[in-house]
Structure formats: C-alpha cells, structure tokens
Amino acid sequence: MEPQPTAADAIETVFRIESPRVIAAAARVVRDVGVAEELAQDALVAALEQWPRDGVPDRPGAWLTAVARRRAVDLVRRRETHARRLAEIGRDLETAPRPAEPADLADPDAIDDDLLRLVFTACHPVLSADARIALTLRLLGGLTTDEIARAFLTPEATVAQRIVRAKRTLATRRVPFEVPCGPDREARLDSVLDVIYLIFNEGYAATAGDDLLRPALCEDALRLARVLSGLMPKEPEVHALTALLEFQASRVGARTGPDGAPVLLADQDRSRWNRMLIARGVTALHHADATATGAPGRYALQAAVAACHAHAVRYEDTDWTAIATLYDLLAARAPSPVVELNRAVAVSMARGPAEALRIVDGLAADPALRGYHLLPSVRGDLLAGLGRPAEARAEFERAAALARNARERELLLTRAAHCAPAPPKGPRQP
C-alpha cells in the first residue's frame, strides 16, 4: 500500500509550483526581488506551522500568496512609519501619508501581471548572462541553489554568489519591477527569450560532464516558455520559442541509447519522438504565424527548421532544400558564426559537401568559434563526404580534444576510428 502524502509533502510540492507567483506577488509590493523571496520563505514557514495542524487549504497557492502579500504590505508600512519618524525628528514635518495597499490584495490569484514583471526583472540586461540564468531558475524555476549548481556543473558557492550579487545589483541599480514598453520591451524580451533558450540548450546538449542530456533543465525551460506564451499571447517570438522547444523536446527520448550514448539524428528511432509535443509545437508555431505582422523572427525561423524535421517520417524524407532556405533567411535576419555553421550542414545536405566546405572554411578564423568542437566536427563530416577520410579523421580527433562532454567526446573518437574511404551520405548531427 502506497504511503499517504503528509502535509509537509504537500507544502513542498505546492511551494515548488507556486513559488514564482508568490515571489511575484510580494515583489509587486516591496519592489525588491531579494526581499520578496524572503517573504515567500516566510509564507512557507507559516504553512509548515499551520497546515499540519489545520489541514492543507483548498487553494494552497492562493493561501501562500495572500500570506506573502500581507507581510509585504506590513513591511512597507513599517518602512514608511520609520521614515516618517525620522523625518519628524530631523525636519519636524508632518507625517507623510502611507502608500495605498495594492488594489488586488484581496484576490491572491490576480497575479499574472506580477509574474510577467518578475520574468522581465530576473532577465534584466543589467545582469550578466550567467546571473540571469541562475536567478531565473531560482525565482521562476523553483530550483534550489544546489540543484542549479549540479545542473550546470558549477560549484554551489559560485551559484550562490551569482544569485546574491544579482539581487543586490537589481536593488542598487533600482531596476523597476515592471514590464517595459516600446523599444525597451523588445530589447528586454530578447533577453528573456535568450535566457530560456540557453537553459533549454544546456539540458538538450550539456556543455560538460558525463551525460549528454539533462532532461530536467529542458522541462524547466519549456515550462517557462509556456508560461510566458500565456502571459504574452500577442508576441509572435514568444510563441515561436515555445514551438521550437516543443519540437526539440519531442526528440529527447530518442537522442540517447540505453547506455546513454548519443544517437545521431539520421539513426534515431522516430517512433520514439513524442507526437504530443510535436502537435503542441505545430499549434504554437501557428500562433506565432497568426500574431506576426512582419518578417519572421529568429525563433520563428528556427522553429520552422525544427518543424521540417518533425514532419519527416524518415530521415530520408527530410526537406533539406527548405531547411537550407530557412537558414539562408536566418543568416540574413540574425547573422552569427553558429548560424553559419548550421547553415553549412543544411547546404551540404541540399547542395553537396563542396559548397558547404567553403562556408565552413570561411569560419575557421572566427574568434567566436575558437575552441568550439562542432566546427571541426562538421568539417570532418564534410571531408568524409568528399572522400577524404584521413583529413576527416584528423578533424574528428581535433573535435574530440575540444569537447568537454564525455559522451560527445566518445562519439567523436568512435567516428574518427571508423573513418573509411567510402563516404557517408552527409553530415550527421545529433
């Protein structure tokens, strides 16, 4: 017989799910995410004290939010009272009126706008990329400092320092707790989307360590993207990013074998691709198209590439001509060395490895790709396709030396060892 969950179990589960909304509600009042997180923890302590005695409330998330907001208002009142007394002593002025309580204080569920503000605050460009990721996972993903450290193979003390400094920076720089408007909103939205995408990519292809995948990070990023698409239904790039992550996540179960070794895209068992996630990706991409008013953005183009793969029943059915065209558009819309490298793979499959090799060789001197193991990996693919196995072997070995992920390194060394005069069909990316 399964043991019944305790009140403590319920509290842990609810807080993990609801903590972003609780923090957002408190931050709306105190305008400081660090203080808001402390108030959310106070609400958690109150739940630990009361729920085992009184029972879990019917709306536990609303209960936590109401407690945190009430304490936030009390804190603001105390601060205002203290400031007023200092003013009376120092300047003998009349007591300044206290700020009005938030109009929606009585409705603990009316917090979507607050959650959106929290997203934009945690991803503010005043913070470094590492700090944005850590703070986003902490405040919006509900991860502990230890979990974030393990996910990114970073010492826990380093992650803790990043989070503390990020909160301090937001406070000292007086970053407003708001959703920006106009051009500022577009610039800030790019930062928000980039952070979510970086989190997903680290889960989809881990930079370092013994495992290729960290599925929990993929799930966290996908959940954040879905929340954001619900909060910003008129932003096409938000829907496009969600579509991209849905499509990519659909392949997670087929990307590794039983022993954890990477399985290349051409060799994946497509019956293991998650059709529900693909359907969600199609729906999100339709929303992106329906809300777009101009040329497709970079996430829309990447989502369209992922859709081409998702719609191919077999690897041989992949529409590489369409993918190459999409990468041509992406290179014009958002040029970068990594986009060019991906374009080279598509060009090789659509137009042949010779043209693709010219693209790759043009990237050899780019400082952004120095030390990037996928550059020699792709070049090895192209050389193999041109019937130059000795050169291909050298490139795969160079890529293996640069790879920090143990699984990728093993795959590259295996491919180096099996280079043969007979050329493969073309680039085979995991």
Side-chain angles (χ1 to χ4, degrees), residues 137-393:
L137 287 175
R138 172 73 177 215
L139 299 181
L140 293 156
L143 274 67
T144 65
T145 303
D146 175 62
E147 288 170 331
I148 298 169
R150 283 190 283 111
F152 286 90
L153 302 180
T154 305
E156 184 176 357
T158 300
V159 172
Q161 289 173 358
R162 285 177 186 166
I163 293 172
V164 169
R165 289 170 183 166
K167 294 175 187 174
R168 186 184 304 129
T169 298
L170 293 175
T172 57
R173 298 286 291 272
R174 298 183 182 275
V175 171
F177 186 69
E178 65 182 12
V179 177
C181 300
D184 287 345
R185 177 169 177 165
E186 182 177 351
R188 291 271 294 279
L189 180 59
D190 283 346
S191 174
V192 171
L193 298 180
D194 286 348
V195 166
I196 295 174
Y197 190 41
L198 286 170
I199 293 170
F200 183 89
N201 278 346
E202 184 59 30
Y204 192 74
T207 304
D210 296 329
D211 299 315
L212 179 70
L213 300 173
R214 297 197 177 96
L217 278 181
C218 292
E219 293 167 6
D220 285 327
L222 185 52
R223 181 170 58 82
L224 291 174
R226 289 171 179 168
V227 168
L228 194 59
S229 64
L231 296 175
M232 305 182 73
K234 296 182 180 180
E235 292 288 348
E237 279 291 81
V238 174
H239 292 300
L241 175 65
T242 304
L244 173 60
L245 301 194
E246 299 277 13
F247 286 134
Q248 297 290 77
S250 73
R251 305 204 301 256
V252 165
R255 293 191 72 237
T256 55
D259 60 351
V263 178
L264 299 172
L265 180 61
D267 302 325
Q268 288 176 16
D269 178 359
R270 299 193 174 207
S271 68
R272 297 184 61 198
W273 288 8
N274 189 313
R275 308 314 298 184
M276 183 191 71
L277 293 180
I278 290 174
R280 292 182 65 108
V282 170
T283 299
L285 191 54
H286 285 163
H287 286 317
D289 292 339
T291 53
T293 56
R298 57 196 175 104
Y299 286 117
L301 291 168
Q302 291 180 75
V305 169
C308 287
H309 290 297
H311 291 316
V313 177
R314 301 175 305 159
Y315 181 75
E316 294 77 11
D317 299 329
T318 306
D319 190 345
W320 288 107
T321 299
I323 292 175
T325 300
L326 288 166
Y327 269 116
D328 289 341
L329 294 172
L330 183 59
R333 173 70 173 80
S336 78
V338 173
V339 168
E340 273 300 282
L341 187 61
N342 288 331
R343 186 172 79 89
V345 174
V347 166
S348 173
M349 299 302 295
R351 307 168 198 162
E355 182 178 343
L357 185 60
R358 287 192 289 272
I359 297 173
V360 171
D361 286 345
L363 296 170
D366 195 306
L369 296 182
R370 185 176 298 121
Y372 188 50
H373 70 287
L374 291 183
L375 178 62
S377 174
V378 170
R379 194 167 190 275
D381 276 317
L382 299 175
L383 290 168
L386 290 168
R388 295 155 64 178
E391 295 171 81
R393 179 192 296 265

Side-chain angles (χ1 to χ4, degrees), residues 114-125:
D114 295 338
L115 188 59
L116 189 56
R117 292 184 182 97
L118 183 61
V119 171
F120 276 88
T121 301
C123 296
H124 196 286

